[in-house]
Amino acid sequence: MTPPAPPGLYRHPTRSEIIDLAAAEGHDADIPTNLGSILQVPSRASARPESVHEKGTSTAMEKDVEKGNGLGPISSTNEPEQDPNIVDFDGLKDPENPINWPSSKKWGMVSLISAITFLTPLASSQFAPGVPEIMREFHSTNDLLESFMVSVYVLGFAFGPLIIAPLSEMYGRLPLYHTCNFFFIVFTIAAAVATSMSQFIMFRFFMGCFGGAPMVLGGGTIADLIPREQRGTAMALWMMGPTVGPCVGPIIGGFLTVAKGWRWNFWFVAIVASAFFIMSLILMSETSGIIILQRKVNRLRAETGNLKLRSKLDTGLKPKQLFKFSIVRPAKMLFRSTICFAISLYIAITYAYLYILFTTFTAVFSGQYGWHGGIIGLSFLGLGIGSVIGQFTYIHFGNRIVNKHLQRGDFHPEHRLYIMCIGGFFIPIGLFIYGWAVEYKTHYMVPLVATGIIGFGLLMTFMPATTYLVDVFTIHAASAMAASTVLRSLAAAFIPLSSQTMYAQLGYGWGNSMLGFIATLLIPIPFLFIKFGERIRARSTVKL
């Protein structure tokens, strides 16, 4: 019988616990979480932890990443002896561990992070109703620029996180929050005072780069603070930002543009972001266990003179290796994995449809229905309501399906896709109704309901697709998600550039029908993976 661990030492975490926490924090499981790294845990085959090569990968990491079983199950026996030079948290009740902070402090930080995560996606589309006013002021009639002004923000979402993620592993979450929030405010103000179209687009791009920080870091912060069994509520609150923010923004922007002009959309965001920034300087603390333990190591080294002390979470990964994992791995997975590419392509096309609607609602509802002024922002309402309904529907029914199979003991990642099969039909149905309703100028409630159907379908495909990637790639889930994020951001930035030309050539009816036909062609993807996904993973030869 294994003797109990002495005070201050933890039992070895399970493989699933490490993988779940790494996925929440947004990095692969061979990079340490507050529970450690998958590389530091003994396998059933050997009690000795996997050796780490100079390139920062273990022998176990050479196994096929698409099979979802890069490492064997964790054994609770033959645990290695504790090195006296390893510094860990002082037991389960250590007040330095963020999980043990007072509830008021923890939930205050969660609320603040959720608010910031709501604001930055809101800024992506808030000024959309003021686009015609911007075009007049900058003396431009270029349809490409009219769309790119909105979508270039999402282009920043593609590149910012690739840099932010590895930097947070090196320097902690707090410096990245503060730095990115500060520069987000700076470039928001710059956009508010821009004097040319080129300046405006450049500042919008950098707004997106720095505005993506809370979406990269938020999940990890919540995982640091909230116990696993209570994390669902906090994650749901945090995820409302990317879902609802882009749809609420134009409603505010429509009325604000009429009252104060388009520039005040950016002053509004800058003022609110500044308030959040000041609150974060006062209320937020570092939550990364890696950084907290390293500070403890530095303190103990100074007190004891023992330079051999090292953190339990230190795997010796160098900055170059972290950047390689952040940038090279997603690219490899996107182009070498059938599952990652197909699911990412589905997400990218449907996400691009969202921004086609964002960039054209103002022109459609002003031209076809004579909406002007503040009420033009209400054209985004259907999309927002449909998205919220889709999110809660997936959470309820998706969890029921998965839990049923977990209880049976026959769960496979493909069970995540049942909801996606249903959601895929709503997108083309909504597009067909929306296009022809707008073409024939039916009552405005018809296209609003149709966009609600589209929003519902988008969330019912987007959410199960992302969770499927996490389940398939397990220890490399963050790289798969990064690959998907880059592809969808590029699609959302560039595909909408042709939307005005498409509508001019085909009309609203056939233009949206063409989008609907493409969406219909994508419907079989989840059905195919439900039938053949396990076989594809078994035959896969994808290695990192």
Side-chain angles (χ1 to χ4, degrees), residues 6 39 84 150 164 195 290 343 532:
L39 302 181
V150 179
I164 294 169
T195 57
I290 300 169
I343 294 295
F532 301 110

Side-chain angles (χ1 to χ4, degrees), residues 241-264:
T243 304
V244 181
C247 301
V248 172
I251 298 173
I252 299 172
F255 293 100
L256 194 56
T257 299
V258 173
K260 292 289 187 178
W262 68 268
R263 294 181 187 271
W264 262 94

Side-chain angles (χ1 to χ4, degrees), residues 258-543:
V258 173
K260 292 289 187 178
W262 68 268
R263 294 181 187 271
W264 262 94
N265 287 297
F266 294 92
W267 287 116
F268 170 85
V269 171
I271 291 168
V272 177
S274 298
F276 289 156
F277 179 56
I278 294 169
M279 292 170 65
S280 67
L281 290 174
I282 298 170
L283 300 176
M284 289 179 67
S285 303
E286 181 58 69
T287 65
S288 171
I290 300 169
I291 303 302
I292 294 172
L293 282 182
Q294 188 57 49
R295 290 173 181 172
K296 185 175 181 179
V297 168
N298 296 339
R299 185 173 69 246
L300 291 174
R301 282 176 179 173
E303 292 174 357
T304 65
N306 183 2
L307 300 181
K308 294 182 180 179
L309 294 174
R310 64 185 187 278
S311 167
K312 173 190 173 183
L313 302 181
D314 181 13
T315 57
L317 292 176
K318 298 177 181 179
K320 182 179 179 181
Q321 294 164 344
L322 290 172
F323 275 103
K324 177 185 175 183
F325 291 165
S326 181
I327 296 171
V328 176
R329 273 185 179 177
K332 284 185 177 180
M333 295 180 77
L334 184 63
F335 294 110
R336 294 184 180 180
S337 165
T338 304
I339 290 176
C340 186
F341 177 77
I343 294 295
S344 298
L345 180 65
Y346 198 139
I347 294 173
I349 292 175
T350 54
Y351 198 67
Y353 286 176
L354 182 65
Y355 276 84
I356 288 175
L357 297 177
F358 280 159
T359 56
T360 58
F361 271 167
T362 301
V364 169
F365 281 86
S366 61
Q368 297 298 97
Y369 292 95
W371 287 17
H372 296 289
I375 64 168
I376 198 71
L378 298 178
S379 59
F380 293 76
L381 195 57
L383 198 60
I385 293 174
S387 298
V388 172
I389 295 173
Q391 181 173 0
F392 283 105
T393 302
Y394 169 74
I395 290 172
H396 177 70
F397 290 103
N399 288 342
R400 283 183 61 182
I401 292 171
V402 170
N403 289 335
K404 181 181 72 173
H405 288 283
L406 286 173
Q407 290 171 5
R408 290 180 182 174
D410 64 350
F411 174 75
H412 297 287
E414 285 72 27
H415 290 130
R416 297 281 189 187
L417 299 178
Y418 291 165
I419 291 288
M420 188 177 176
C421 292
I422 299 170
F425 288 96
F426 284 90
I427 298 173
I429 290 172
L431 286 167
F432 293 141
I433 297 173
Y434 169 71
W436 292 107
V438 168
E439 179 78 21
Y440 289 107
K441 300 183 181 180
T442 61
H443 191 276
Y444 65 83
M445 280 303 298
V446 178
L448 285 183
V449 171
T451 57
I453 295 172
I454 296 170
F456 179 81
L458 287 172
L459 265 292
M460 290 281 282
T461 55
F462 178 76
M463 295 189 71
T466 53
T467 52
Y468 177 61
L469 289 178
V470 171
D471 283 340
V472 167
F473 293 99
T474 56
I475 58 177
H476 297 105
S479 291
M481 292 296 297
S484 176
T485 298
V486 170
L487 188 61
R488 81 168 190 253
S489 298
L490 291 173
F494 292 112
I495 290 178
L497 300 183
S498 60
S499 56
Q500 296 282 20
T501 304
M502 175 187 69
Y503 286 145
Q505 296 291 327
L506 301 177
Y508 295 118
W510 283 112
N512 285 288
S513 293
M514 184 183 72
L515 300 180
F517 292 137
I518 295 172
T520 302
L521 293 176
L522 297 174
I523 289 176
I525 289 178
F527 288 94
L528 291 173
F529 282 131
I530 287 173
K531 186 170 183 179
F532 301 110
E534 194 170 1
R535 227 175 296 173
I536 292 172
R537 289 188 283 116
R539 296 177 181 177
S540 175
T541 57
V542 181
K543 295 180 176 62

Side-chain angles (χ1 to χ4, degrees), residues 226-241:
I226 308 299
R228 193 180 189 185
E229 60 274 11
Q230 301 174 9
R231 203 173 292 158
T233 301
M235 293 295 283
L237 178 66
W238 173 66
M239 288 174 62
M240 290 293 287

